């Protein structure tokens, strides 16, 4: 079974803190994605990566950056967390476009 | 950019009822996904389809490419089917992630 894991299920941070969200997949997938999910807005793509050290902006990249130094690991970074970044963050991966995406369990981030 | 609309937004039904959730999109696609999200849980993929119909147990997904429309049906619904069902499309251009509908919150009452 494909497994996508995220470093935390719940996280509470203060405004201005630097926040790292990590995602690891164990199926050698080329593509990895970071989404945020908000009530009434659904899931929105923040960034994705189709190879090590490669990244592409999604629909809402402002305030975020990403890092993919190894194929299995994709990190989302909030350089200076703000309250409007309180959300559920979901990581996903897949092998080929437009193949099925496999999602992690999500990290619920609260920024106070 | 593709616009994905789902209906209804919320649906409450009795156990055993036949359920239909609809999804329409604005621009031609390569594939459409139906996803399921239980409360507090992660998202699992139910179907990926680009034409015709797929069936898995009590779940059936159909797509009409010409009409840019897909439906997810649940036969003999059960309380464990209660979840948010999300339609997502892959258009193949620009950002390579999926474009998601806002989801349909389904509650099946015993």
């Amino acid at each position: 079974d494909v497994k996508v894991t995220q470093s935390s299920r719940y996280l509470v941070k203060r405004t201005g803190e630097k926040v790292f969200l990590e995602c690891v997949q164990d199926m050698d997938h080329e593509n990895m994605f970071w989404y945020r999910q908000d009530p009434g807005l659904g899931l929105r793509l923040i960034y994705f990566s189709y190879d090590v050290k490669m990244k592409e902006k999604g629909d809402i990249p402002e305030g975020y950056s990403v890092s993919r130094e190894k194929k299995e690991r994709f990190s989302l970074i909030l350089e200076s967390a703000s309250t409007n970044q309180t959300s559920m963050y979901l990581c996903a991966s897949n092998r080929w476009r437009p193949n099925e995406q496999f999602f992690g369990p999500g990290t619920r981030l609260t920024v106070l | 950019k593709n616009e994905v609309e789902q209906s209804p937004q919320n649906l409450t039904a009795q156990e055993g009822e036949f359920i239909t959730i609809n999804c329409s999109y604005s621009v031609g696609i390569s594939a459409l996904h139906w996803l399921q999200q239980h409360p507090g849980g992660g998202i699992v993929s139910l179907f990926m389809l680009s034409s015709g119909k797929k069936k898995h147990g009590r779940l059936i997904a159909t797509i009409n490419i010409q009409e840019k429309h897909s439906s997810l049906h649940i036969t003999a619904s059960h309380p464990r089917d209660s979840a948010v069902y999300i339609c997502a499309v892959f258009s193949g251009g620009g950002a390579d992630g999926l474009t998601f509908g806002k989801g349909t919150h389904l509650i099946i009452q015993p």
Side-chain angles (χ1 to χ4, degrees):
Chain A
D1 269 358
V2 174
K3 186 173 272 188
V4 180
T5 57
Q6 295 183 227
S7 49
S8 306
R9 290 301 302 272
Y10 300 94
L11 206 52
V12 179
K13 295 292 182 181
R14 298 217 172 267
T15 301
E17 280 193 78
K18 190 168 186 176
V19 182
F20 292 87
L21 302 181
E22 284 214 316
C23 175
V24 178
Q25 50 93 5
D26 65 358
M27 284 301 290
D28 201 37
H29 284 171
E30 284 78 9
N31 305 319
M32 297 187 75
F33 306 84
W34 274 107
Y35 299 95
R36 65 177 281 177
Q37 184 179 32
D38 299 288
L41 297 177
L43 282 135
R44 293 176 292 167
L45 179 65
I46 305 172
Y47 267 98
F48 72 100
S49 168
Y50 53 88
D51 201 352
V52 175
K53 297 192 187 294
M54 305 303 290
K55 61 184 179 185
E56 294 283 347
K57 292 180 180 179
D59 297 320
I60 50 164
E62 297 78 19
Y64 304 95
S65 62
V66 290
S67 172
R68 193 163 180 204
E69 296 297 318
K70 294 185 177 182
K71 190 174 186 180
E72 67 270 18
R73 191 178 298 268
F74 192 34
S75 300
L76 180 70
I77 303 152
L78 288 66
E79 292 288 342
S80 178
S82 63
T83 55
N84 63 12
Q85 293 178 308
T86 292
S87 186
M88 169 71 88
Y89 290 87
L90 288 141
C91 175
S93 72
N94 68 358
R95 188 178 296 279
W96 309 115
R97 306 186 300 272
N99 210 349
E100 176 186 4
Q101 287 195 1
F102 296 87
F103 287 83
T107 295
R108 187 166 293 282
L109 173 67
T110 302
V111 182
L112 302 175
Chain B
K1 180 170 166 56
N2 223 328
E3 301 289 332
V4 180
E5 297 287 337
Q6 280 186 243
S7 63
Q9 286 186 319
N10 298 283
L11 179 57
T12 300
Q14 296 297 312
E15 184 173 357
E17 285 189 44
F18 181 82
I19 303 299
T20 295
I21 299 170
N22 296 300
C23 175
S24 60
Y25 50 92
S26 58
V27 177
I29 62 171
S30 301
L32 182 143
H33 300 247
W34 281 103
L35 310 168
Q36 182 191 57
Q37 185 176 31
H38 283 286
I43 295 173
V44 295
S45 178
L46 298 174
F47 296 103
M48 185 184 76
L49 64 166
S50 53
S51 65
K53 176 179 171 177
K54 287 190 176 180
K55 185 175 189 293
H56 182 70
R58 295 179 294 105
L59 299 175
I60 303 165
T62 64
I63 188 168
N64 185 317
I65 297 296
Q66 287 73 31
E67 294 186 2
K68 297 186 177 63
H69 180 268
S70 175
S71 293
L72 177 68
H73 306 285
I74 306 174
T75 61
S77 59
H78 190 277
R80 65 174 174 267
D81 297 325
S82 299
V84 176
Y85 292 85
I86 302 169
C87 170
V89 300
F90 179 77
S91 304
D96 278 346
L98 297 168
T99 302
F100 296 83
K102 291 183 171 53
T104 294
H105 189 195
L106 174 66
I107 298 173
I108 304 296
Q109 295 178 334

